[in-house]
Amino acid sequence: LMTLVRGLAPIRVAVAHPCDALSIGGPLDARAAGLIEPVLIGPRAKMEVAARAAGIDLAGVAIEDVPHSHAAAARAAQMAGQGQVEAIMKGSLHTDELMGEVVSRANGLRTSRRISHVFLMNVPTYHRPLLITDAAINIAPTLADKVDIIQNAIELAHIIGIPEPKVAILWAVETVNPKIQSTLDAA
C-alpha cells in the first residue's frame, strides 16, 4: 500500500473524537509518513490529555474543538459532505455513533450502494492482501445488501492493485442448508 501511494499528496482527513493514545497516535503517525493531513475533531482538553499520554506534540495540527463524541461524529460527516476533507477516520467513539452521521441523508455522503467495511489483512504466508468484509457494519444484510458488500470489496481490491480478486463467500457451515438463509444466499 505504501508503494501505491508513494508520490501522492497527503489527503485531508477528519479524525472523529481521537481522545485516547491509540486513536490520536495513528493519524499523527500517518501524518509523519506523509499520508494524511489530519483534522482532529473532539473536546480539545481530552485530545490534549491523550496526546500527552502518547508523547505527541499537537503543534501545527488542525483541531476542531467540539463538546463530545456525538458532535465530533456530526462535524466529521458534515466536513466530508461539504468536501472540506477527503476521508473520515474513527477515533475513540462507538462505530454506530460515527456511522449514524455518515449514513444520515443530511450529510450527503450516501450513495445508491450499501455502505460496508473491509479489513485488509497482510498474511505473511499468502502472496497478496486478504480483504475480509463485512465484519463491522452490516449485522443482518439482505441478499441485495450482500451483492453491494461484495462489489465494494471487489472495487477496493482493484484500487489496491488486485486486478482479478477471488471471492469466497463464507458462513458458519460449509453446506447449503434450507433452514439457514445465509447458506441459501451464498449458494
Side-chain angles (χ1 to χ4, degrees), residues 34-78:
L35 300 173
I36 71 170
E37 198 52 53
V39 179
L40 306 179
I41 306 170
R44 179 181 291 273
K46 283 186 178 182
M47 293 187 294
E48 289 172 348
V49 167
R52 278 193 300 277
I56 293 170
D57 182 6
L58 295 179
V61 178
I63 295 176
E64 293 230 1
D65 187 16
V66 298
H68 45 68
S69 58
H70 290 289
R75 181 65 182 136
Q78 179 187 44

Side-chain angles (χ1 to χ4, degrees), residues 35-155:
L35 300 173
I36 71 170
E37 198 52 53
V39 179
L40 306 179
I41 306 170
R44 179 181 291 273
K46 283 186 178 182
M47 293 187 294
E48 289 172 348
V49 167
R52 278 193 300 277
I56 293 170
D57 182 6
L58 295 179
V61 178
I63 295 176
E64 293 230 1
D65 187 16
V66 298
H68 45 68
S69 58
H70 290 289
R75 181 65 182 136
Q78 179 187 44
M79 290 179 76
Q82 294 174 348
Q84 296 173 0
V85 295
E86 296 176 75
I88 299 172
M89 181 182 289
K90 179 183 172 292
S92 56
L93 72 169
H94 292 284
T95 300
D96 60 343
E97 194 172 4
L98 179 59
M99 291 308 299
E101 293 296 333
V102 169
V103 301
S104 169
R105 293 192 192 284
N107 290 314
L109 298 175
R110 292 177 68 136
T111 68
S112 61
R113 195 178 300 155
R114 182 82 177 180
I115 290 176
S116 59
H117 177 272
V118 179
F119 288 104
L120 177 63
M121 309 291 287
N122 179 23
V123 179
T125 57
Y126 194 65
H127 66 285
R128 65 181 182 195
L130 293 176
L131 287 81
I132 301 172
T133 190
D134 174 286
I137 302 295
N138 294 289
I139 297 168
T142 66
L143 182 56
D145 294 339
K146 292 172 187 174
V147 170
D148 285 348
I149 291 166
I150 292 169
Q151 190 60 48
N152 292 342
I154 289 170
E155 290 181 16

Side-chain angles (χ1 to χ4, degrees), residues 8 10 36 173 180:
L8 297 178
I36 71 170
V173 295
I180 304 174

